[in-house]
């Protein structure tokens, strides 16, 4: 087993300091952990302290699911998925939404109990926001939990238009967590030689966590002994059974907010249905690189295209006589995707095991984590 080195952890901390200059976390003494925004969106999101309105621009965004796989998606503020909005229960928020798309649009605040005029459904609760137009939403939040915003135009959803809307409670839920990660699950059909998602497709060949497919996803680094919260949101056409290796967790929240405790029903796979949120919590007791992934086999792959790859076989080879051969190929690409601090120290060839809706929870020893 390979562990991050002191050097890699130092680089991670440096990266966090750099990120701190990019956004201003909301101060909330009630909570000890914030959603890790390096994970929650890419590039790092800008959380806005209430008092200043939150600017939210709907716009085309060119991104990459893995290095070299360019995709022309739609998102918010230059990010797919959009930036994480983090607020505290009781806050009044003002969000200035600007439409830089070439068609009408409106954002819906999924699960939030807001006045009907703020619900963001074009044609029902308001006029659609015209291209070049804007609309200001303002509401007071009396809930807490994992929520999200998304375009209420169905095909725009499948172009990527979603972001996390995290409402922290006034007093932290107990037991208090030390790490808090938000992960948006999405699926896409990107045909060969295309960069634009086919939003009408019923089949999908790219599965992403926060806009990246493994091995380009960012592993979650935690210290052994810490209590960890993972927040999942699913915006797509399939339900995702998200499985964590080597640990048992409890579901502590849904798309409606915090669930009622005590939490005694342990699982290691949680089904995150379409338009649902699930919060799970566990204590990271075991050192190691534990996989966290959707367990649908077709969601553990990249670039699935019929009649390409596994279907090609040389009939002259003896192996061609084995019924069913070939099935899986081992294709590590460490050089391509293995260069960020969070992947430092993984075994050679690790990228061969990482595809699709997949990442790692890397539990490291406290002295390694602290760089002692
Ligand atoms: Cu899945």
């Amino acid at each position: 087993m390979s562990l991050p080195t002191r050097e890699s952890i130092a680089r991670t901390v440096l990266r966090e300091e750099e990120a701190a200059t990019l956004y201003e976390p909301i101060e909330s003494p009630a909570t000890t952990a914030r959603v890790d925004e390096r994970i929650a969106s890419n590039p790092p999101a800008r959380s806005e302290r209430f008092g200043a309105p939150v600017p939210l621009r709907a716009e085309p965004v060119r991104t990459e699911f893995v290095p070299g796989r360019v995709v022309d998606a739609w998102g918010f503020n230059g990010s797919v998925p959009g930036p994480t909005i983090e607020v505290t229960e009781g806050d009044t928020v003002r969000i200035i939404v600007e439409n830089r798309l070439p068609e009408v649009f409106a954002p819906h605040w999924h699960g939030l109990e807001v006045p009907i005029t703020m619900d963001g459904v074009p044609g029902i609760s308001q006029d659609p926001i015209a291209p070049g137009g804007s609309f200001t939403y303002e509401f007071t939040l009396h809930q807490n939990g994992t929520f999200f915003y998304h375009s209420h135009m169905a095909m725009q959803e499948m172009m990527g238009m979603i972001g996390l809307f995290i409402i922290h409670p006034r007093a932290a839920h107990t037991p208090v967590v030390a790490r808090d990660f938000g992960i948006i699950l999405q699926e896409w059909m990107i045909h060969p030689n295309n960069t634009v998602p086919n939003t009408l497709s019923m089949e999908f060949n790219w599965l992403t966590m926060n806009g990246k497919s493994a091995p380009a996803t960012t592993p979650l680094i935690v210290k052994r002994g810490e209590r960890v919260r993972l927040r999942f949101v699913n915006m797509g056409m399939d339900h995702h059974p998200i499985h964590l290796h080597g640990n048992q967790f409890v579901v502590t929240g849904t798309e409606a907010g915090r669930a009622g405790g005590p939490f005694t029903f342990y699982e290691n796979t949680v089904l995150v249905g379409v338009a649902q949120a699930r919060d799970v919590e566990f204590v990271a007791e075991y050192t190691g690189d534990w996989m966290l992934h959707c367990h649908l086999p077709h969601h553990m792959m990249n670039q699935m295209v019929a009649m390409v790859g596994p279907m090609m076989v040389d009939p002259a080879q003896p192996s061609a006589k084995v019924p069913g051969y070939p099935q899986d190929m081992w294709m590590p690409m460490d050089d391509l995707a293995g260069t960020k601090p969070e992947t430092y120290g993984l075994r050679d060839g690790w990228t061969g095991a990482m595809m699709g809706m997949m990442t790692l929870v890397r539990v490291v020893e406290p002295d390694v984590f602290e760089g002692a």
Side-chain angles (χ1 to χ4, degrees):
M1 179 168 53
S2 304
L3 290 171
T5 64
R6 185 179 307 179
E7 179 200 7
S8 77
I9 294 299
R11 283 159 57 198
T12 302
V13 170
L14 180 65
R15 192 175 147 128
E16 283 170 348
E17 286 169 355
E18 289 168 353
T21 65
L22 299 176
Y23 67 94
E24 198 175 11
I26 302 163
E27 289 170 5
S28 175
T31 53
T32 59
R34 316 303 303 183
V35 172
D36 188 329
E37 298 195 50
R38 292 175 302 116
I39 306 300
S41 59
N42 188 0
R46 171 177 289 272
S47 285
E48 296 292 337
R49 188 194 310 272
F50 175 65
V54 179
L56 201 58
R57 297 186 315 274
E59 60 191 3
V61 178
R62 173 161 280 202
T63 186
E64 286 185 325
F65 290 164
V66 295
R69 203 347 162 176
V70 173
V71 176
D72 285 303
W74 291 1
F76 297 91
N77 297 13
S79 177
V80 179
T84 298
I85 297 174
E86 272 188 273
V87 294
T88 301
E89 184 177 5
D91 283 351
T92 297
V93 296
R94 188 180 305 121
I95 305 168
I96 300 175
V97 175
E98 196 182 331
N99 182 6
R100 295 191 183 177
L101 299 170
E103 63 187 30
V104 299
F105 145 87
H108 170 59
W109 317 100
H110 193 105
L112 297 188
E113 298 171 11
V114 297
I116 184 61
T117 52
M118 296 288 112
D119 197 41
V121 181
I124 298 295
S125 62
Q126 66 172 88
D127 291 336
I129 306 174
S134 70
F135 190 95
T136 299
Y137 297 85
E138 184 170 322
F139 39 79
T140 300
L141 303 156
H142 60 264
Q143 301 160 269
N144 70 74
T146 303
F147 300 92
F148 48 103
Y149 60 92
H150 63 82
S151 166
H152 213 278
M153 312 281 278
M155 295 297 92
Q156 292 175 1
E157 291 179 16
M158 295 310 292
M159 283 295 283
M161 302 194 69
I162 179 176
L164 284 168
F165 196 118
I166 305 296
I167 310 176
H168 295 286
R170 286 228 157 267
H173 295 301
T174 54
V176 172
V177 298
R179 305 283 152 196
D180 196 343
F181 298 101
I183 297 178
I184 291 182
L185 311 171
Q186 289 171 286
E187 56 190 353
W188 317 74
M189 168 53 84
I190 317 288
H191 289 292
N193 303 315
N194 279 256
T195 60
V196 179
N198 178 354
T199 57
L200 297 177
S201 180
M202 295 291 286
E203 296 182 328
F204 304 93
N205 61 350
W206 286 93
L207 287 296
T208 58
M209 288 179 157
N210 292 336
K212 296 291 181 188
S213 290
T217 48
T218 303
L220 317 180
I221 311 290
V222 308
K223 182 166 64 175
R224 183 171 59 78
E226 286 182 331
R227 187 175 180 86
V228 179
R229 177 183 297 136
L230 308 176
R231 307 170 186 257
F232 302 105
V233 166
N234 176 3
M235 181 56 72
M237 298 271 291
D238 289 296
H239 312 308
H240 302 294
I242 301 295
H243 175 56
L244 174 63
H245 286 207
N247 292 269
Q248 321 304 330
F249 54 63
V250 288
V251 175
T252 57
T254 72
E255 65 279 359
R258 183 78 171 183
F263 305 107
T264 56
F265 185 73
Y266 286 87
E267 300 173 275
N268 48 57
T269 305
V270 61
L271 186 62
V272 187
V274 172
Q276 290 186 326
R278 288 291 180 272
D279 296 354
V280 305
E281 294 180 15
F282 64 99
V283 177
E285 292 183 68
Y286 309 112
T287 304
D289 302 319
W290 304 108
M291 299 204 86
L292 176 68
H293 65 97
C294 177
H295 220 297
L296 290 188
H298 286 191
H299 293 184
M300 300 165 66
M301 305 178 187
N302 290 334
Q303 190 75 303
M304 290 193 302
V305 181
M307 304 311 291
V308 173
M311 298 302 160
M312 292 196 298
V313 59
D314 178 0
Q317 294 297 318
S319 53
K321 296 186 172 61
V322 177
Y325 171 83
Q327 291 296 325
D328 281 300
M329 292 178 290
W330 184 250
M331 297 184 296
M333 44 177 169
D334 296 9
D335 292 346
L336 198 62
T339 54
K340 60 185 132 186
E342 291 86 349
T343 62
Y344 191 87
L346 288 168
R347 300 172 81 246
D348 286 347
W350 68 275
T351 49
M354 300 286 293
M355 285 178 283
M357 192 174 278
M358 190 177 286
T359 188
L360 293 168
V361 175
R362 305 190 72 188
V363 182
V364 301
E365 289 294 317
D367 61 332
V368 174
F369 189 95
E370 305 290 355

